[in-house]
Amino acid sequence: MTNLSPWHATVLTLFPEMFPGPLGVSLAGKALASGVWTLDTRDIRDAATDRHRSVDDTPAGGGPGMVLRADVLAAAIDAADAAPDRPKERPRLLMSPRGRPLTQSRVRELAAGPGPLIVCGRFEGVDQRVIEARALEEVSIGDYVLSGGEIAAIALIDACVRLLPGVMGKAESASEESFSESLLEYPQYTRPQAFEGQPIPEILISGDHAKVASWRRAESEALTRARRPDLWVTYESAPKGTTKE
Ligand code: ADE
């Protein structure tokens, strides 16, 4: 089935003023302005029902911090899903440091679909019952703790949007291909020919394309082995040119 509507992201947050933020400039911003993708940012607080518009409460069983209420978040999700022109079936993500780590292959899947609904967590967490009742897929962007899911959501959307048809130029496409082979990028150089006494590696100005290609591959492999043993295992265990992570 061809998808005629543009890729769409719905973001549920307590800080709607953080959007589009960085997504409003550069590649993603141009694509947003030209309608390649659309963004619906919603304030979770709008779903609060009490006089104080409260969205959080103290954790059951005690402990520090506050927990996002299940009823309020469920109402926010349901209202977002009831908005006109929303994809009927779409991934529902919850940005959280305890989520499954985001990978380029998951980014590719999300970019190929209609676009996700993304909940940005805050406080000490989100009531487990709404995570289950609304089938939220927890996603982490790395093993460190941000003060909320907004920056993580921006990172995820940016990674998806650059893959949408017509968003990337040739240069960016090439770097995507390289990562999809489980290898880190080789080092790059440009003019001037000498910088603080350091020349550009001889081979790169030799004009021998085959030699340049094999030098770059060797550099990529050495870098990957040294910095990312996890990627190196994937690369080594897959037939050359077939790895996707
Ligand atoms: N919220 C706080 N830290 C996060 C992380 N590392 N990834 C995704 N969401 C988060």
Side-chain angles (χ1 to χ4, degrees):
M1 193 184 81
T2 39
N3 195 351
L4 295 176
S5 28
W7 194 86
H8 175 82
T10 294
V11 174
L12 301 184
T13 171
L14 290 162
F15 299 95
E17 64 276 21
M18 287 176 78
F19 293 85
L23 298 170
V25 298
S26 190
L27 276 187
K30 273 183 216 146
L32 182 60
S34 66
V36 172
W37 69 289
T38 57
L39 175 67
D40 179 18
T41 306
R42 292 168 165 257
D43 192 341
I44 295 170
R45 202 170 290 280
D46 290 344
T49 50
D50 66 338
R51 207 154 52 83
H52 305 288
R53 302 186 81 211
S54 48
V55 292
D56 58 334
D57 211 329
T58 53
M66 300 292 269
V67 176
L68 201 51
R69 285 168 54 146
D71 55 346
V72 175
L73 184 54
I77 293 169
D78 295 346
D81 277 345
D85 303 328
R86 288 300 157 256
K88 284 268 171 306
E89 298 286 329
R90 58 175 163 172
R92 291 199 191 115
L93 314 180
L94 168 63
M95 305 316 294
S96 156
R98 65 171 213 186
R100 199 169 271 142
L102 184 64
T103 61
Q104 188 65 20
S105 68
R106 184 69 183 120
V107 165
R108 260 186 233 112
E109 284 171 6
L110 291 168
L117 174 147
I118 307 174
V119 177
C120 302
R122 279 268 154 181
F123 312 110
E124 297 316 297
V126 173
D127 189 304
Q128 184 63 28
R129 292 168 297 177
V130 67
I131 298 177
E132 290 165 18
R134 294 298 177 275
L136 302 181
E137 170 191 339
E138 293 181 72
V139 177
S140 165
I141 63 158
D143 290 341
Y144 41 82
V145 182
L146 302 165
S147 47
E150 285 76 9
I151 290 172
I154 289 169
L156 181 145
I157 294 170
D158 180 84
C160 291
V161 165
R162 61 189 289 282
L163 300 184
L164 300 177
V167 173
M168 267 197 285
K170 238 183 168 177
E172 298 94 346
S173 315
S175 79
E176 154 70 8
E177 262 164 39
S178 158
F179 199 76
S180 68
E181 273 198 282
S182 280
L183 283 180
L184 301 181
E185 277 282 295
Y186 48 80
Q188 295 277 18
Y189 301 85
T190 187
R191 277 179 285 271
Q193 161 57 23
F195 166 68
E196 296 185 349
Q198 291 287 346
I200 292 174
E202 195 75 43
I203 209 157
L204 296 179
I205 42 181
S206 67
D208 185 331
H209 297 303
K211 274 197 179 144
V212 168
S214 71
W215 181 87
R216 284 178 167 168
R217 162 96 21 190
E219 290 286 319
S220 278
E221 290 180 353
L223 214 56
T224 307
R225 188 155 37 185
R227 289 186 186 169
R228 294 291 305 274
D230 56 324
L231 286 183
W232 182 250
V233 170
T234 316
Y235 173 72
E236 274 212 311
S237 62
K240 301 286 178 255
T242 63
T243 51
K244 271 288 172 198
E245 201 41 60

